[in-house]
Amino acid sequence: MGCCVLPVLWSCLALGFLLAFLIHKVSPRLPTKLEQSRLYVFFQDLLRYGKTKHCTRDSWLRIFDVPKRWFWHFYAVSVVWNGLLLFLALQHQPYPQWLTYILGVLCGVQWDESQAPQLSTLLVQLLLWIHSVRRLLECLFVSVYSEGVLHLAQYMFGMGYYVILGLTVLCSNHFNDAKGVDSLFRQLDLGHLSGTALFICASLLQHTSLVTLARLRTGSSGTVKTFDHGVPRGGWFEMVSCPHYFAELLIYVSLSMVFGGLSLTWWTVVSYVLFNQALAAQLCQEFYMRKFECYPRHRYAFIPFVL
């Protein structure tokens, strides 16, 4: 038995984003000379995307720009890759040799081809695939993108994110030697039901929030009228600036519930999502407060009554 790579990877990512969040929070107290240094400017540019990018950026930073509208690439990759993993799992046959080799390296254990995934893993795979399909459709048909950009490093990370995430689901699996549909149904428990219920609620929250943001640019007609930003109002936007980020966190928590809350590996993923979304929400709230004098100061950035 070797070292499981994935919990270490996700923990490092979580700590990295926590550190970035803390550095950003104390940045107003940093010396002006440090804030103007190339290293710090590059650090800030690497953190930001879309509307939170600084308007005045050096030309050398723009070399790494990628259109934000390419977000849909991430979900297209996820639909194909995680759809493939789900299809292979439903065959009730040994995984291909190339996949068992990858899982053996990432999970730190010898992968037994005779082992069958539990209902928890199959359900998480299905929910993750549904999430990816929804987000792909929202990117293509709901969201209205302006000329916002991503950093090339963010784009490359996003392209690989759901590939690693799908493998993480399999490495979070608790194995069961029994096979067959009946044995899977007998595994159904309250964690599966409550996790799926939270997943549905969080997905609806995220979708309605994205529709609200899109309508700031389209109005009720659906025709794009402006690419300017506005102040979102109504629903959860009255409590937090980024309810869609909060919903993203809830989606990952719901998947942990489907795992029975017992997968340490998946909780490291949740911790990464927490700090990643917290940083993104903080940057968004600062943008709103800087751009709109009338922006409600009582709103939290991300999690109601917490952050």
Side-chain angles (χ1 to χ4, degrees), residues 198-270:
L198 178 58
F199 175 86
I200 293 172
C201 293
S203 298
L204 289 173
L205 171 60
Q206 190 171 61
H207 177 71
T208 56
S209 300
L210 293 171
V211 169
T212 298
L213 291 173
R215 285 180 177 171
L216 291 174
R217 292 179 168 177
T218 64
S220 58
S221 65
T223 303
V224 177
K225 297 179 178 179
T226 180
F227 288 109
D228 291 337
H229 296 94
V231 178
R233 298 187 184 279
W236 284 66
F237 279 106
E238 298 303 321
M239 289 187 289
V240 294
S241 296
C242 303
H244 48 308
Y245 294 162
F246 179 52
E248 185 81 0
L249 174 63
L250 291 180
I251 286 170
Y252 281 82
V253 170
S254 73
L255 299 182
S256 185
M257 292 170 61
V258 173
F259 275 129
L262 301 175
S263 174
L264 177 61
T265 299
W266 195 258
W267 279 116
T268 61
V269 177
V270 173

Side-chain angles (χ1 to χ4, degrees), residues 63-80:
I63 297 173
F64 305 102
D65 286 354
V66 174
K68 186 187 174 186
R69 65 174 64 92
W70 286 5
F71 246 72
W72 71 269
H73 295 181
F74 308 154
Y75 301 111
V77 169
S78 181
V79 169
V80 174

Side-chain angles (χ1 to χ4, degrees), residues 8-20:
V8 177
L9 172 64
W10 290 112
S11 296
C12 288
L13 286 171
L15 290 173
F17 275 94
L18 173 59
L19 181 60

Side-chain angles (χ1 to χ4, degrees), residues 112-183:
D112 186 349
E113 295 182 354
S114 66
Q115 292 172 320
Q118 286 190 341
L119 177 61
S120 298
T121 302
L122 292 174
L123 186 54
V124 170
Q125 285 183 293
L126 176 62
L127 295 178
L128 179 59
W129 185 79
I130 291 173
H131 171 69
S132 301
V133 171
R134 177 181 62 81
R135 290 294 295 119
L136 175 60
L137 295 175
E138 287 168 344
C139 286
L140 293 175
F141 302 112
V142 176
S143 298
V144 180
Y145 295 104
S146 58
E147 296 303 314
V149 297
L150 304 168
H151 195 283
L152 178 61
Q154 293 172 323
Y155 178 77
M156 297 303 295
F157 177 82
M159 290 297 286
Y161 174 77
Y162 284 101
V163 174
I164 299 298
L165 192 64
L167 296 171
T168 303
V169 173
L170 295 180
C171 285
S172 301
N173 184 20
H174 295 283
F175 289 104
N176 178 22
D177 291 331
K179 295 185 179 181
V181 176
D182 290 338
S183 62

